[in-house]
């Protein structure tokens, strides 16, 4: 499992995270949600060790602050928000970088399989720099998937950390990517994603952490976290949560009371 | 049956490593031809076929032929190969490190830093305690050049890179500032130099491998060979760095070690090359760029192929410098700048959009 305790993080004098506790279980798809500037991406950066924090982050029994780079690369893959490349790599060459970690070294067949998984099987020979933002994002996801192709290894779960994985995508591909993440979790891996879209979160995620003003407001199942009052308070706008009998939870911003505010 | 063989024969689409390997074979051929040409062409009329015939017939070479071939053309060829490979591979490594196709030791002040080191050694070397100066011997200038290029690469990296991202503009401007500072310091030292030192400096600054001697080869070879031998270990890390420093570390690249290794490698190779050949520009930018166009940016092949093509390019440029105004010679720096200047402008035009300039 992933357990973060009492995470404080400051940029200069401005404190972004105030003593956040956060946990995610393997076998589950956990989302971090919250309004712009709430600190959800910053929390992600602490969880993957990209920013200096005080507190403790333990991933599968390892303190990530002291673990070796290659040890971490063997148990987790990280998808950044956007990646620009300085050189004209082809799509296949970018995905192949995922085999660098040593765990997947030499497994060239994973490249084609990962591209197939993200719906870009025919793109292998194209130049990465010439793709659209959404296509680039899916290529990067394929790269991360080759790194941790099996959701478990030696009986231990592996992890995917996804920073806004669907923000650049159309609705069709949003569903594809969310399904990939959910399948990874169902197969025993752990997934943590920063999410903007609350409806997709409600549809696919098992656990939701709601962050507001650098603090954890609540963590639980989508139905526990997504209630009118809490969301309206966090996002500073009126939100109505609907639960139609046939499908899961979905949310609507409530235009009428926006005006009242 | 037939589909199976087809599957096995077809490489993964978008994987250009087979192309890069073919290119490597071709480049080895080109380098061999360049080496032979470099031995054959010169102001005096020693012809290689004749020499070969003499040697094969079991006869002894004339003293004159032997001197020209073994003591003039051979060291010149070897020095050309070393310097060309050093400059081209350093260019490729710097571009990988800075994640920027415009990084070049000559353009961003690393060669200038090496030059300052060399000038300091030439002018102020006499002030060293005699015992130390004797111990360093011929190696004093290359070592000083190495320290100069190392300091400037470090400084440049510190200034131009923030949070793993390098700004093109900052890098180039910092390079200009560095070159200006180094130029001023060099000028100051030149002002202080005596007549004998001035002569040494002037010849050195022309940028040439014309005065090649075995002594020069032996002073530069250890640093350059060491640096080139280390580059294969950087390939995987530089590929990872293309994603950015954070993402590179997430795929298991020891980022800090790769960066330190790359900086020391560049400093060694550029320092040694500049110490013996002065400022030969543009090899480091032209060669890797051409190779990326031909077979992609995978550093596993790019670094080796850069070495091969850089060596050939320098030999060919040296040949041109010998032939154009024969029997006199042009400094080779003029030839590489004449080819490289327009080439650099062409890269700029092609990549304006991608580089955000």
């Amino acid at each position: 499992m992933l357990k973060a305790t009492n995470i404080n993080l400051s940029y200069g004098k401005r404190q972004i995270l105030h003593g956040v506790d956060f946990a995610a279980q393997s076998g589950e798809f956990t989302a971090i949600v919250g309004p712009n500037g709430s600190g959800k991406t910053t929390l992600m950066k602490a969880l993957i060790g990209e920013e200096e924090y005080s507190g403790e982050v333990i991933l599968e029994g390892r303190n990530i602050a002291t673990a070796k780079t290659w040890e971490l690369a063997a148990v987790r893959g990280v998808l950044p928000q956007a990646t620009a490349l300085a050189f004209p790599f082809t799509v296949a060459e970018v995905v192949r970088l995922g085999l660098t970690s040593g765990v997947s070294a030499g497994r060239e067949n994973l490249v084609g399989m990962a591209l197939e998984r993200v719906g870009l099987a025919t793109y292998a020979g194209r130049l990465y720099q010439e793709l659209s933002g959404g296509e680039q994002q899916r290529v990067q996801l394929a790269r991360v998937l080759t790194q941790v192709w099996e959701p478990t290894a030696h009986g231990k779960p592996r992890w995917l950390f996804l920073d806004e994985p669907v923000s650049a995508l159309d609705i069709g591909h949003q569903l594809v990517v969310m399904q990939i993440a959910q399948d990874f979790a169902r197969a025993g891996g752990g997934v943590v994603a920063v999410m903007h879209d609350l409806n997709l979160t409600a549809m696919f995620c098992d656990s939701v952490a709601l962050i507001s003003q650098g603090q954890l407001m609540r963590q639980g199942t989508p139905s526990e976290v997504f209630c009118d009052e809490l969301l309206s308070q966090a996002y500073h706008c009126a939100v109505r949560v609907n639960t139609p009998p046939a499908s899961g939870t979905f949310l609507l911003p409530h235009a009428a009371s926006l005006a009242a505010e | 049956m037939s589909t199976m063989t087809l599957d096995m024969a077809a490489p993964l689409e978008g994987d250009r490593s087979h192309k890069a390997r073919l290119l490597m074979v071709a480049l080895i051929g080109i380098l061999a031809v360049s080496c032979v040409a470099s031995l054959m062409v010169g102001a005096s009329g020693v012809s290689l076929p004749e020499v070969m015939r003499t040697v094969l017939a079991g006869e002894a070479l004339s003293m004159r032929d032997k001197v020209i071939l073994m003591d003039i053309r051979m060291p010149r060829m070897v020095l050309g190969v070393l310097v060309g490979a050093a400059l081209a591979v350093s260019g490729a490594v710097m571009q990988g490190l800075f994640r920027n196709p415009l990084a070049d030791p000559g353009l961003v002040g690393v060669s200038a830093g090496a030059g300052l080191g060399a000038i300091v050694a030439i002018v102020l070397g006499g002030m060293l305690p005699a015992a130390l100066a004797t111990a360093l011997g011929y190696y004093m200038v290359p070592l000083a050049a190495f320290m100069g290029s190392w300091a400037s690469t470090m400084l440049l990296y510190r200034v131009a890179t923030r949070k793993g991202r390098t700004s093109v503009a900052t890098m180039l401007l910092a390079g200009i500032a560095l070159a200006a500072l180094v130029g001023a310091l060099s000028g100051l030292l030149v002002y202080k130099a005596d007549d004998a030192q001035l002569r040494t400096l002037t010849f050195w600054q022309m940028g040439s491998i014309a005065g090649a001697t075995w002594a020069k080869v032996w002073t530069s070879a250890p640093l350059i060979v060491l640096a080139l031998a280390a580059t294969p270990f950087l390939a995987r890390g530089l590929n990872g760095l293309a994603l950015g420093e954070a993402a590179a570390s997430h795929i298991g690249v020891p980022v800090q070690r790769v960066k330190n290794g790359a900086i020391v490698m560049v400093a060694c190779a550029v320092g040694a090359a500049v110490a013996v050949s002065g400022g030969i520009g543009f090899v480091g930018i032209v060669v890797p760029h051409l190779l990326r166009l031909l077979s992609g940016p995978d550093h596993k092949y790019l670094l080796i192929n850069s070495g091969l093509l850089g060596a050939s390019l320098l030999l060919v440029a040296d040949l041109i410098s010998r032939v154009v105004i024969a029997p006199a010679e042009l400094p080779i720096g003029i030839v590489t700048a004449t080819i490289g200047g327009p080439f650099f402008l062409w890269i700029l035009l092609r990549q304006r959009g991608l580089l955000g300039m």
Side-chain angles (χ1 to χ4, degrees):
Chain A
M1 74 177 278
L2 170 74
K3 193 163 171 50
T5 321
N6 195 22
I7 303 296
N8 288 285
L9 198 155
S10 305
Y11 290 140
K13 281 190 176 153
R14 216 160 66 83
Q15 190 168 359
I16 309 292
L17 296 177
H18 305 266
V20 175
D21 292 325
F22 172 86
Q25 306 292 333
S26 55
E28 288 189 356
F29 183 173
T30 305
I32 302 171
V33 301
N36 293 338
S38 60
K40 56 188 185 305
T41 289
T42 309
L43 175 60
M44 179 62 116
K45 288 208 165 21
L47 296 177
I48 58 178
E50 268 185 30
E51 295 284 353
E52 269 186 46
Y53 55 86
S54 73
E56 201 177 49
V57 180
I58 306 287
L59 178 66
E60 295 302 330
R62 281 195 186 88
N63 187 333
I64 65 151
T66 53
K68 298 258 190 305
T69 308
W70 59 267
E71 281 178 335
L72 291 172
V75 295
R76 67 157 196 220
V78 177
L79 178 74
Q81 261 183 42
T83 309
L85 294 182
F87 304 115
F89 284 96
T90 61
V91 166
E93 287 165 346
V94 174
V95 176
R96 205 137 139 252
L97 291 175
L99 305 179
T100 303
S101 64
V103 190
S104 310
R107 299 175 64 186
E108 298 284 337
N109 60 326
L110 290 185
V111 174
M113 285 157 74
L115 279 173
E116 178 114 38
R117 192 79 174 83
V118 299
L120 292 173
T122 58
Y123 280 54
R126 306 246 319 247
L127 284 180
Y128 178 83
Q129 289 170 328
E130 290 169 4
L131 303 183
S132 74
E135 288 165 340
Q136 289 186 347
Q137 187 67 348
R138 281 150 64 208
V139 172
Q140 293 295 341
L141 177 62
R143 168 178 70 75
V144 174
L145 287 176
T146 61
Q147 188 186 340
V148 287
W149 185 253
E150 286 84 15
T152 61
H154 312 298
K156 274 197 156 186
R158 286 160 142 185
W159 289 75
L160 282 178
F161 290 84
L162 314 171
D163 193 356
E164 301 199 14
V166 296
S167 295
L169 306 183
D170 60 67
I171 48 170
H173 289 111
Q174 287 183 340
L175 294 176
V176 168
V177 167
M178 293 300 281
Q179 192 63 56
I180 290 173
Q182 195 183 49
D183 290 349
F184 189 88
R186 293 286 172 271
V191 182
V192 178
V194 172
M195 293 291 300
H196 255 307
D197 188 317
L198 300 179
N199 283 317
L200 282 173
T201 306
M203 279 168 72
F204 286 95
C205 296
D206 306 298
S207 172
V208 184
L210 176 63
I211 307 285
S212 181
Q213 296 178 340
Q215 285 171 322
L216 180 75
M217 290 185 82
R218 188 179 293 175
Q219 184 171 4
T221 63
S223 54
E224 285 165 357
V225 176
F226 290 167
C227 54
D228 296 358
E229 200 184 334
L230 194 63
L231 287 179
S232 302
Q233 190 191 338
Y235 284 85
H236 297 290
C237 77
V239 177
R240 178 179 295 160
V241 179
N242 286 291
T243 311
S247 60
T249 309
F250 72 90
L251 298 87
L252 292 169
H254 196 277
S257 35
L258 251 182
E261 207 185 7
Chain B
M1 257 314 257
S2 63
T3 50
M4 218 183 99
T5 44
L6 201 79
D7 277 356
M8 287 176 67
L12 176 69
E13 202 198 340
D15 178 3
R16 290 174 283 186
S17 50
H18 56 290
K19 240 191 220 173
R21 279 194 292 269
L22 277 179
L23 192 62
M24 195 188 297
V25 174
L27 289 173
I28 290 172
I30 291 173
L31 180 58
V33 172
S34 313
C35 284
V36 172
S38 170
L39 288 178
M40 281 172 70
V41 178
S44 71
V46 180
S47 87
L48 199 66
E50 227 167 82
V51 168
M52 294 301 275
R53 229 172 293 135
T54 320
V55 172
L56 287 177
E59 293 164 30
L61 281 174
S62 74
M63 199 56 194
R64 175 178 162 275
D65 285 4
K66 206 170 163 189
V67 167
I68 290 175
L69 211 61
M70 297 309 292
D71 292 338
I72 297 179
R73 290 192 194 161
M74 191 72 97
R76 186 168 182 164
M77 179 200 85
V78 175
L79 200 68
V81 168
L82 286 173
V83 168
L87 293 176
V89 177
S90 304
V93 169
M94 273 192 79
Q95 287 146 28
L97 175 69
F98 283 85
R99 306 180 65 221
N100 194 312
L102 294 184
D104 169 80
L107 276 175
V108 297
V110 174
S111 298
L116 178 63
I119 293 172
V120 167
I122 292 171
V123 177
L124 302 181
M127 292 182 185
L128 281 178
L132 188 60
T134 320
L136 290 173
Y138 277 126
Y139 293 100
M140 190 164 67
V141 175
L143 280 178
F146 158 71
M147 288 195 283
S149 54
W150 177 72
S152 46
T153 314
M154 285 289 286
L155 186 71
L156 192 71
Y157 194 83
R158 287 275 163 80
V159 173
T161 307
R162 273 187 71 232
K163 292 193 169 185
R165 296 198 162 273
T166 308
S167 141
V168 191
T170 316
M171 179 188 72
L172 293 176
L173 292 174
I176 291 173
L178 207 60
L181 180 66
V182 164
L185 291 174
S186 305
L188 206 67
L189 286 169
V190 169
Y191 203 73
K192 247 190 75 67
D194 63 35
D195 281 356
Q197 290 168 340
L198 268 183
R199 263 178 70 85
T200 319
L201 276 178
T202 314
F203 279 113
W204 173 78
Q205 273 175 331
M206 274 184 194
S208 173
I209 55 168
T213 57
W214 284 115
K216 276 193 180 179
V217 169
W218 294 127
T219 51
S220 61
L223 274 179
I224 292 178
V225 170
L226 206 72
L228 293 182
T231 48
F233 299 101
L234 293 174
R236 199 183 72 113
L238 291 176
N239 279 340
L241 273 185
L243 295 168
E245 285 186 20
S249 110
H250 293 317
I251 58 172
V253 172
V255 173
Q256 199 54 47
R257 237 187 301 160
V258 170
K259 275 160 53 180
N260 291 342
I263 287 173
V264 171
M265 180 271 150
V266 167
C268 277
V270 174
V274 168
V276 290
S277 69
I280 299 176
F282 292 105
V283 176
I285 201 158
V286 171
V287 169
H289 197 85
L290 265 182
L291 291 172
R292 276 192 216 101
L293 284 180
L294 290 172
S295 63
D298 184 346
H299 289 87
K300 189 174 161 196
Y301 303 102
L302 181 69
L303 297 177
I304 296 171
N305 286 351
S306 289
L308 294 169
L309 184 58
S312 305
L313 183 72
L314 208 79
L315 289 180
V316 170
D318 185 47
L319 276 179
I320 295 173
S321 77
R322 283 189 236 173
V323 177
V324 172
I325 52 166
E329 286 195 16
L330 272 178
I332 190 173
I334 295 181
V335 179
T336 57
T338 313
I339 305 170
F343 188 88
F344 182 68
L345 287 176
W346 173 70
I347 299 177
L348 273 183
L349 284 176
R350 248 174 51 94
Q351 302 219 329
R352 259 188 308 196
L354 285 175
L355 293 169
M357 306 185 20

